[in-house]
Amino acid sequence: ESVLSRIRSFEYSQKNAVLVPAAALGVGGMLLYWLRSGRKINTIDMGDGWWGSGERSLKGKEDESIRPFKIETSDKEIEDLHRRLDHFRFTPHVEGAAFHYGFNSSFLQKVVAYWRNQFDWRKQVEELNKYPHFHTTIEGIDIHFIHVKPSYVPHGRAVQPLLMVHGWPGSFYEFYKIIPLLTEPARHGLSEGDVVFEVICPSIPGYGFSEAPHQKGFDSVATARIFHKLMNRLGFKEYYLQGGDWGSRITTNMAQMLPQSVKGLHLNCVFMGKQGLGRMICIMLGAYVPWLVGLSREDARRFYPFMQKNVYDVLRESGYLHIQATKPDTAGCGLNDSPVGLAAYILEKFSTWTDKSFLHKDDGGLESKYSLDELLTNVMIYWVTSSIVSSMRYYKENFSKDPNLNAYSRYGIYVPTGIAAFPQEILHTPRVWAKDVYKNIITYTYMPRGGHFAAFEEPKLVAQDIMQFVRKVEQL
């Protein structure tokens, strides 16, 4: 009996050895399924839309063809520009004003003189056309994009599709310096072991060569849906995303909408609208014991003094936002009629958003980071397409629905995320705050220099950070 009892006890323990792990695996699997199911359910509804003129036709299917497109100019277009530049009415600036009152009018005279006498728009059109441009019709409007593939792919290396989205007052042209670094890294001094990309840069509808929406309500979620449709039309089921400014918001919405299509999300600008007692406590304690509230020393250095960097500086730089979020067509009317007014309005942002200290310089520090050819080419994209008003409307469409830009923060982003935090960005978002929404941060890099227009200003830094991020994602 004693022997039989021991045998039964052994058999029972053996069964437990099998059943307990099996049960644990079962419970764990159910928990994982529940978590995954919860994430799938908690996504932005993709829906559908129509932004064309008039009512949507019930007959026939939308033309899904991809049509080659080429930017063109004419003598008439250039003559009209020169005539308007010749009639620029100069307003003397206040002595010692630098850029504190906005664009310094004396430096503006220099910009206008260069634009009128030396800037070669035909040459810049050739530069713009060096990459393949396309149009395709989505939800009733023509979407413009460039699609650049690597000329050579080493054997065994996978090419990763990367959608890069600009913001305001930028354009697809912001990415012209970073594209060759991403599509042909070895030729530009980047590691042979780096991943290789094919890059797709669309123009947000209403910006540049993308048709403006004809209906009210076109916001970042509608843009996200259209760009998902674009990538699907190009044959991509999975892809990487990159964005700053509105591009950050759009690509974030894309990750919230179809996470199964997004292999990874890389951002160089993160806006966090969430407030609350916990955030206020973090702000108050962070100046004295940053480690206690999850802030690093670098976070504290970039974040404080809080009122100066997060209130006064932001108020000074955001006057345009209130105008564009309320009555964009009024101010836009003058900008669309005057190339000089347009240049002053846009280029002032390329001064103080690149480096806050440029406010104190008579030339706004503009030529220390960019050439006048580069800056004026971006302005010309708005001018020749008459798109400044429709680009400004994008603020009204987004802020009228979501004044704090946090309506979608409840949709957590679980796709792998990389954040490049530039020191001169308008607002700094610490990693501990970003994790409230971006639940799967793979890389968070304190960039050594640079501001809001990261890819335009520091293309090599951005390219290296994107590659580092994608390498880590591909190893997961």
Side-chain angles (χ1 to χ4, degrees), residues 18 26 57 70-71 88 100 116 121 142 153 190 192 231 246 262 294 305 365-366 385 389 396 418 431 444 464 476:
V18 174
S57 174
K70 191 174 182 181
I71 299 171
F88 161 46
H100 286 272
R116 174 63 177 87
W121 176 232
D142 284 346
V153 181
L190 298 177
E192 279 283 359
M231 294 302 278
W246 281 123
V262 181
L366 283 166
T385 58
V389 177
K396 183 171 180 64
R431 180 175 186 150
Y444 182 101
Q464 288 171 330
L476 293 177

Side-chain angles (χ1 to χ4, degrees), residues 347-368:
L347 297 187
E348 184 246 303
K349 305 307 178 195
F350 280 87
S351 169
T352 49
W353 291 4
T354 295
D355 191 317
K356 299 177 187 71
S357 70
F358 288 173
L359 191 73
H360 310 297
K361 297 189 174 185
D362 289 340
D363 63 356
L366 283 166
E367 290 182 277
S368 63

Side-chain angles (χ1 to χ4, degrees), residues 152-206:
Y152 167 73
V153 181
H155 178 69
R157 182 152 333 152
V159 178
Q160 303 292 345
L162 173 65
L163 180 83
M164 305 187 77
V165 186
H166 66 87
W168 188 92
S171 65
F172 66 93
Y173 178 61
E174 285 180 67
F175 302 116
Y176 266 51
K177 289 185 279 189
I178 198 173
I179 286 172
L181 307 183
L182 296 169
T183 56
E184 298 175 311
R187 288 185 59 185
H188 295 87
L190 298 177
S191 169
E192 279 283 359
D194 286 329
V195 290
V196 176
F197 298 92
E198 57 179 299
V199 179
I200 301 92
C201 300
S203 294
I204 298 171

Side-chain angles (χ1 to χ4, degrees), residues 247-276:
S248 170
R249 168 89 166 178
I250 293 163
T251 53
T252 293
N253 289 159
M254 291 177 76
Q256 293 167 314
M257 185 178 286
L258 286 179
Q260 66 272 25
S261 295
V262 181
K263 294 184 76 176
L265 170 66
H266 185 276
L267 306 172
N268 59 271
C269 180
V270 176
F271 296 112
M272 303 294 292
K274 180 182 173 185
Q275 301 297 330

